[in-house]
Amino acid sequence: MLIKTPRRSDCVESEVTPEALYLNRRRFMQGAALSAAAAGLPAISQADSGRYADVESADAPAWFDRKLGQAQWGSVTVKDEAITPFPDATHYNNFYEFGPDKGDPARHAQQLVTDPWVVTVDGEVAKPGKYTIEDLVSGPALEERIYRLRCVEAWSMVIPWLGVPLAALIRRLEPMASARYVRFETLVRPDQMPGMRTGFSLIDWPYVEGLRMDEAMHPLSLMTLGMYGRVLPNQNGAPLRLVVPWKYGFKSIKSIVRISFVRDQPATTWQTMAPHEYGFYANVNPAVSHPRWSQARERRLPGSLFSPNVRKTEMFNGYADEVSGLYAGMDLAKEY
């Protein structure tokens, strides 16, 4: 387990997952295997998706299935909060490469070819090169991390991600002492990403994000390969995305094809487009409003017109105990 000391944001998994949705993993796997044997079919490799309701099955690369079989479940959780239903988490997304509407990623992302996939590693690093995802994440075990996700638009979810600690991946690549930041870049494929061909396409593609090295090395930073016990859906950033739970969601860049270790703070997409609205750090901070709306409250999905499920936003999205030390001495109203 990465975080050994209990924190305010931790709890045991049975407290997080609604009882009606929680299935014992071993019983499920045994039942799936017996049913498959009786039918003369192989057991499904996405067995752990049965721990959550309404999860769609999906084909996954063989390397993902191998890592899934050795995954650590519920290694980090959140307390007293229900997990967002899978249909909501996969059909209400910002992924502008597929279109500006929340439903566009789910409608269009199946066009994206995610296997094979190559990630370029370059910059101030001892082991540059082109890596398959299997090679890139071959060392550490998959971990399930149940994290809050807070969008800068003031809506939020709770999602069970599957991934490897970003710090473990970085250590394997051996960045040089001169590398102070990590820069990430998203795929550019207009033929498979129709949002890049629309009038909304004011973004100077590729989409770029970045972290300070100490943020990237923090135990909560996760290089993500799956969610809800199954391989990551295309609309959620397959096959490789970042998840940084104390920052607004736009920092958690999707469909990564390049990881660069750099000396200087990278020019990130939203900060470049609207620096008065979106800062480099993008830490969740209820005391610092967006120029066009307050960040003091958020709408937790799912909700409805008559029950919008609005709640107070927590500093650093509820992870202040773990991450506030990264920003000691900084003016968070200016370094937003």
Side-chain angles (χ1 to χ4, degrees):
M1 181 183 297
L2 277 175
I3 300 176
K4 300 179 183 298
T5 304
R7 305 280 188 172
R8 182 169 58 86
S9 60
D10 294 343
C11 71
V12 297
E13 185 171 351
S14 59
E15 292 179 313
V16 177
T17 309
E19 183 176 0
L21 306 184
Y22 181 83
L23 295 174
N24 179 274
R25 178 174 181 247
R26 181 173 297 174
R27 288 204 308 266
F28 181 87
M29 293 183 71
Q30 289 173 343
L34 288 172
S35 297
L41 298 172
I44 59 171
S45 59
Q46 310 286 346
D48 283 285
S49 65
R51 302 163 75 250
Y52 304 104
D54 301 322
V55 176
E56 300 170 2
S57 61
D59 294 329
W63 62 262
F64 179 87
D65 290 336
R66 289 193 295 269
K67 291 187 77 71
L68 187 66
Q70 301 175 343
Q72 300 174 18
W73 298 95
S75 65
V76 178
T77 63
V78 295
K79 187 175 182 179
D80 299 329
E81 296 188 51
I83 289 172
T84 301
F86 179 83
D88 293 276
T90 54
H91 288 76
Y92 192 91
N93 312 97
N94 286 328
F95 198 167
Y96 293 114
E97 285 84 344
F98 294 105
D101 295 332
K102 294 294 188 288
D104 284 341
R107 279 190 289 270
H108 303 306
Q110 302 318 307
Q111 302 176 36
L112 182 64
V113 177
T114 60
D115 187 22
W117 192 271
V118 174
V119 178
T120 299
V121 175
D122 58 15
E124 308 284 314
V125 63
K127 295 181 178 178
K130 295 186 180 297
Y131 292 81
T132 66
I133 296 181
E134 180 179 9
D135 288 339
L136 195 65
V137 302
S138 61
L142 278 182
E143 296 183 28
E144 182 182 61
R145 307 278 191 87
I146 302 173
Y147 283 158
R148 301 177 193 90
L149 172 69
R150 171 60 155 80
C151 182
V152 72
E153 298 170 343
W155 53 266
S156 63
M157 300 183 183
V158 176
I159 296 178
W161 304 103
L162 279 164
V164 300
L166 179 58
L169 185 154
I170 290 174
R171 282 193 293 267
R172 181 179 172 225
L173 296 173
E174 299 180 16
M176 300 175 186
S178 55
R180 298 173 56 240
Y181 295 87
V182 188
R183 178 186 182 276
F184 303 91
E185 188 175 301
T186 293
L187 177 72
V188 176
R189 284 297 301 267
D191 59 320
Q192 298 178 19
M193 296 171 145
M196 302 178 95
R197 309 191 301 266
T198 67
F200 177 81
S201 185
L202 302 176
I203 293 175
D204 184 14
W205 312 107
Y207 189 91
V208 173
E209 260 306 336
L211 297 173
R212 209 169 60 191
M213 184 62 75
D214 58 345
E215 297 176 312
M217 295 297 291
H218 192 278
L220 289 178
S221 297
L222 191 70
M223 188 59 80
T224 305
L225 307 159
M227 59 191 293
Y228 294 83
R230 52 152 283 177
V231 71
L232 198 63
N234 285 9
Q235 63 264 37
N236 293 90
L240 190 70
R241 72 168 287 170
L242 183 65
V243 173
V244 192
W246 70 92
K247 294 179 179 288
Y248 291 121
F250 69 86
K251 294 293 290 187
S252 294
I253 184 171
K254 305 176 181 76
S255 300
I256 296 169
V257 293
R258 185 180 296 271
I259 302 172
S260 303
F261 295 89
V262 297
R263 297 170 183 258
D264 300 322
Q265 180 177 302
T268 58
T269 293
W270 286 108
Q271 183 190 22
T272 300
M273 290 182 64
H276 64 293
E277 296 189 4
Y278 308 104
F280 174 80
Y281 286 98
N283 291 319
V284 176
N285 188 345
V288 176
S289 294
H290 185 280
R292 289 178 282 139
W293 58 80
S294 169
Q295 296 288 18
R297 300 178 72 79
E298 65 195 66
R299 178 172 55 93
R300 175 62 54 80
L301 301 178
S304 68
L305 179 63
F306 300 105
S307 180
N309 201 9
V310 174
R311 62 185 62 203
K312 290 182 179 180
T313 292
E314 298 183 66
M315 185 66 193
F316 295 113
N317 204 25
Y319 299 98
D321 289 348
E322 292 90 337
V323 305
S324 59
L326 295 172
Y327 311 103
M330 292 176 58
D331 184 342
L332 298 183
K334 293 181 178 178
E335 299 289 345
Y336 57 90

